[in-house]
Amino acid sequence: MVRRATATLVVVALAVLAGCLGGGGAGAATTVESTATETAATTSQSGSPATAAAAGDVTVEVVEVVDGDTIKVVMPDGARETVRLLGVDTPEVHAENTPDEFEGVPETAAGRTCLRAAGEDASAYAKSRLADRTVELRYDGKAGERGYYGRLLAYVVVDGAEFNYDLITEGHARLYESSFEERERYERAERDARERGVGLWSCATEGAAAGGADATTDDGLSLSVVADAPGNDNDNLNEEYVTLRNDGDAAIDLSGWTVSDAAGATYTFAGGTELDPGASLTLHTGSGTDTDEDVYWGRGGAVWNNAGDTVTVRDATGDEVLAYTYE
């Protein structure tokens, strides 16, 4: 009993002494907690260190263009970072290309050779726009700041233009299958580039990607078709589609117009469907929510035969406006 009481007195004395020498135990605890809080504040949700400009744009210097979709930059604090351009994928120039990643490009030596040349074009385009330039990095809340390899993920803004988006519209890149806020806009831009057959899409051999519009009227209404969806058509119905584009000067009222195949399967546009000058409207075979740019047939199986078919467009009175036969 005596030894236990003595030990207790010694512990109390040491605690008091430590408090006097350290300026107060409560203050020390507060310092530790503050440091932990600051450390947590500099760490992103992915566990990677967050950049100082995570909430907005950050101005950087481009010191190297690795290829069409990767650059190296110097950050404001002097740190050197590799930036993977968000949402885009250009053909490889430092490795072998996989043609089936690019819709319509054949799995042949010719397809791979064509993609390599397209990758070199994309790299040259990136160098002409970004090399030794001051640019802004813009982060995306949905994608996060860093990818799997620790590289920054960002939109690159140069001369006020979003370079990532320009890569898509010029056909230098495909849409990269990932989650990011600009995805829908990039999807539309990629589809338009495929239909025009520009850039890497000149390597494609299927449907509209082979050379832009398949049929055009004197008034500027054009039709293109992508009949062969990636993989099994019946499992990927929304990648089988027909696109109407209005390059004329006046809006076209598509109410009651129809699109049909050679077997007589027919889709009728709803009342109030209008195609403005410069706009396009894509009819997907599968299901979805109709928008100003996309409408859905709602069929349970593929319509357009890969081996050949005829696409016919008729107006509300039943008169033929456009017809296109592919083989």
Side-chain angles (χ1 to χ4, degrees):
M1 291 295 292
V2 173
R3 282 196 295 270
R4 183 177 303 171
T6 302
T8 302
L9 290 173
V10 171
V11 170
V12 171
L14 288 174
V16 171
L17 180 60
C20 294
L21 294 176
T30 301
T31 301
V32 172
E33 182 178 353
S34 176
T35 302
T37 301
E38 291 173 3
T39 301
T42 60
T43 304
S44 67
Q45 291 182 351
S46 62
S48 302
T51 64
D57 298 350
V58 55
T59 301
V60 301
E61 300 293 328
V62 179
V63 294
E64 182 182 347
V65 177
V66 178
D67 55 28
D69 56 35
T70 308
I71 61 176
K72 293 184 178 181
V73 304
V74 173
M75 304 296 285
D77 63 359
R80 190 182 178 100
E81 292 274 8
T82 298
V83 181
R84 181 64 168 80
L85 274 63
L86 182 61
V88 299
D89 183 35
T90 60
E92 299 289 345
V93 292
H94 304 297
E96 192 71 25
N97 282 290
T98 306
D100 64 6
E101 293 180 345
F102 300 87
E103 183 174 335
V105 178
E107 281 276 5
T108 62
R112 286 187 287 273
T113 299
C114 186
L115 284 176
R116 174 56 63 88
E120 292 171 352
D121 287 344
S123 294
Y125 179 69
K127 289 176 182 177
S128 70
R129 294 279 305 275
L130 304 179
D132 302 319
R133 295 293 305 276
T134 298
V135 302
E136 290 182 340
L137 301 184
R138 182 174 298 160
Y139 301 108
D140 184 281
K142 184 177 290 186
E145 289 179 34
R146 294 186 183 270
Y148 293 115
Y149 302 106
R151 299 177 296 185
L152 290 175
L153 298 175
Y155 304 105
V156 174
V157 180
V158 58
D159 295 329
E162 192 175 286
F163 181 73
N164 309 43
Y165 185 73
D166 290 346
L167 281 173
I168 293 283
T169 60
E170 296 296 325
H172 289 304
R174 71 179 178 101
L175 172 77
Y176 189 77
E177 293 296 332
S178 60
S179 178
F180 59 104
E181 293 175 353
E182 294 278 357
R183 183 184 173 99
E184 290 186 8
R185 187 165 74 100
Y186 277 41
E187 285 179 337
R188 291 194 296 269
E190 184 202 65
R191 185 167 63 228
D192 180 69
R194 287 204 316 265
E195 291 167 358
R196 290 184 288 119
V198 297
L200 72 89
W201 304 114
S202 65
C203 302
T205 59
E206 299 170 303
D214 296 320
T216 306
T217 67
D218 293 337
D219 295 330
L221 178 66
S222 63
L223 173 156
S224 58
V225 56
V226 173
D228 190 2
N232 186 319
D233 290 6
N234 291 312
D235 294 333
N236 199 7
L237 295 176
N238 284 337
E239 288 301 316
E240 177 191 85
Y241 52 82
V242 171
T243 298
L244 297 179
R245 181 175 177 83
N246 180 10
D247 289 317
D249 298 326
I252 301 173
D253 184 3
L254 296 178
S255 302
W257 285 38
T258 62
V259 176
S260 59
D261 69 351
T266 302
Y267 172 85
T268 303
F269 290 100
T273 304
E274 194 166 86
L275 191 58
D276 292 327
S280 61
L281 182 63
T282 299
L283 169 61
H284 302 269
T285 300
S287 299
T289 302
D290 290 351
T291 67
D292 291 338
E293 293 86 18
D294 300 272
V295 293
Y296 298 86
W297 200 326
R299 291 182 63 91
V303 173
W304 309 110
N305 295 320
N306 296 343
D309 210 332
T310 297
V311 186
T312 303
V313 179
R314 291 184 172 83
D315 63 21
T317 66
D319 290 336
E320 182 178 302
V321 178
L322 272 177
Y324 171 66
T325 299
Y326 62 90
E327 298 178 353

